[in-house]
Amino acid sequence: MRVSFLGVNALLFTICFSFRLIDVFLIHASQTWETLNLTKMFGVLVIIAYLVITKQTPGKIGFAGRDMLKGLRFGGAAILFSFFLAYSTELLLLHMAGENPRVIITALGLSLQTKYAVSGGLTFALTLLASNLINSAMEEGLFRGIMLRERTLKTNLAQALFFGLWQIVWTLKDYHDGRLDLGHFIALSIGITIAAAIIGFAFGLVDTITNSSWSSWTAHIVNNSFFNYVAVRSGTDTLNHHRNLREVIVMLVFLSIGVIGYYFWSKGRERGAPGFAGVPARLADPPVP
């Protein structure tokens, strides 16, 4: 009997998420958002093990060399346009409020609560960059690569849900450390799960449109890099006062691009247009253990 896609996805998620909990709560290798190297390196090893066991190549999970440039162009253009609108809106609102906003470049680790964000110099900036590359490779390889083997809305919704649940480790950490009470923990967990699921779904759409995980990988790196390095300081010397608004705008614009692109992509398949018709799933069914 063949193993179901959902079963394989759930197993891989459970393995990686369990190690993530061990890392955060027992090993304590990671104390700030986006510096979770140990977990992400473990996740990369899980992906490699999966490819070896199933006798697959990276191209089968969307990282084919021939699709790299296409993915880089589409994913990069979509996320850059989203950030352009987000920063423009934020700066406009601050100007209308009588502030004197300015965009600054700084190394800033992200946190669920702005007051706990960590900043630093060149070493910290390079650490963030390395973490970003590992993080994006692992998460895109797992969630959009392996979990999106069949390019359907159903599988995209499933991987997006897993991706949303993947993020709640930070609310668990803040609750454990006393930074959140029970009510805020529940509310923030629901909110971050939904938000991460939405952006994960959007990543899946651009992955599907281009048949390449390079698209979502590029968008993921650019997204994290902007939030890590590009901040807005207002006239009151407040840093990233409207960061949450910026995040929402980026998410909604990028999702809109994905939905519109998916609409035309699906119409192209229905018409049998060249490059659309008969596109197979990237991976065959996993072998029987």
Side-chain angles (χ1 to χ4, degrees), residues 170-249:
W170 297 114
T171 56
L172 288 170
K173 176 65 173 173
D174 280 355
Y175 177 68
H176 176 268
D177 292 345
R179 295 176 176 177
L180 294 173
D181 58 32
L182 181 60
H184 285 93
F185 162 69
I186 294 174
L188 195 55
S189 294
I190 294 174
I192 194 173
T193 299
I194 293 174
I198 291 174
I199 195 65
F201 183 76
F203 282 155
L205 289 177
V206 300
D207 187 353
T208 299
I209 294 167
T210 60
N211 193 32
S212 170
S213 294
W214 292 112
S215 294
S216 53
W217 179 77
T218 303
H220 202 149
I221 289 178
V222 173
N223 178 79
N224 290 1
S225 296
F226 263 91
F227 284 118
N228 282 144
Y229 300 113
V230 185
V232 174
R233 190 181 296 277
S234 67
T236 57
D237 207 35
T238 301
L239 190 65
N240 282 337
H241 181 68
H242 293 295
R243 193 195 77 185
N244 290 339
L245 173 63
R246 190 194 316 155
E247 291 175 346
V248 170
I249 294 175

Side-chain angles (χ1 to χ4, degrees), residues 59 62-73 210-215 282:
F63 289 102
R66 66 179 182 276
D67 296 324
M68 179 183 292
L69 290 180
K70 176 177 63 176
L72 294 177
R73 286 196 300 265
T210 60
N211 193 32
S212 170
S213 294
W214 292 112
S215 294
R282 287 201 300 247

Side-chain angles (χ1 to χ4, degrees), residues 44-180:
V44 170
L45 292 177
V46 170
I47 294 171
I48 293 173
Y50 175 86
L51 293 176
V52 171
I53 293 172
T54 59
K55 297 181 174 60
Q56 304 287 347
T57 64
K60 293 297 185 179
I61 60 171
F63 289 102
R66 66 179 182 276
D67 296 324
M68 179 183 292
L69 290 180
K70 176 177 63 176
L72 294 177
R73 286 196 300 265
F74 188 89
I79 196 66
L80 286 173
F81 178 73
S82 302
F83 271 102
F84 171 76
L85 291 184
Y87 278 100
S88 297
T89 301
E90 182 177 3
L91 292 172
L92 178 61
L93 290 175
L94 288 171
H95 272 296
M96 293 174 62
E99 301 285 350
N100 183 30
R102 55 196 182 278
V103 177
I104 64 172
I105 306 299
T106 183
L108 183 67
L110 298 183
S111 173
L112 295 179
Q113 302 178 76
T114 305
K115 63 182 178 180
Y116 294 120
V118 178
S119 60
L122 179 60
T123 300
F124 183 66
L126 294 176
T127 299
L128 284 176
L129 178 60
S131 300
N132 191 4
L133 294 173
I134 297 173
N135 172 74
S136 300
M138 179 267 163
E139 291 187 347
E140 295 313 311
L142 177 63
F143 294 101
R144 262 65 68 182
I146 294 176
M147 292 190 182
L148 198 57
R149 296 184 295 279
E150 292 182 337
R151 296 189 300 157
T152 66
L153 287 177
K154 180 179 179 180
T155 55
N156 195 14
L157 285 170
Q159 67 81 18
L161 177 59
F162 281 123
F163 188 63
L165 294 174
W166 177 255
Q167 311 300 331
I168 66 172
V169 66
W170 297 114
T171 56
L172 288 170
K173 176 65 173 173
D174 280 355
Y175 177 68
H176 176 268
D177 292 345
R179 295 176 176 177
L180 294 173

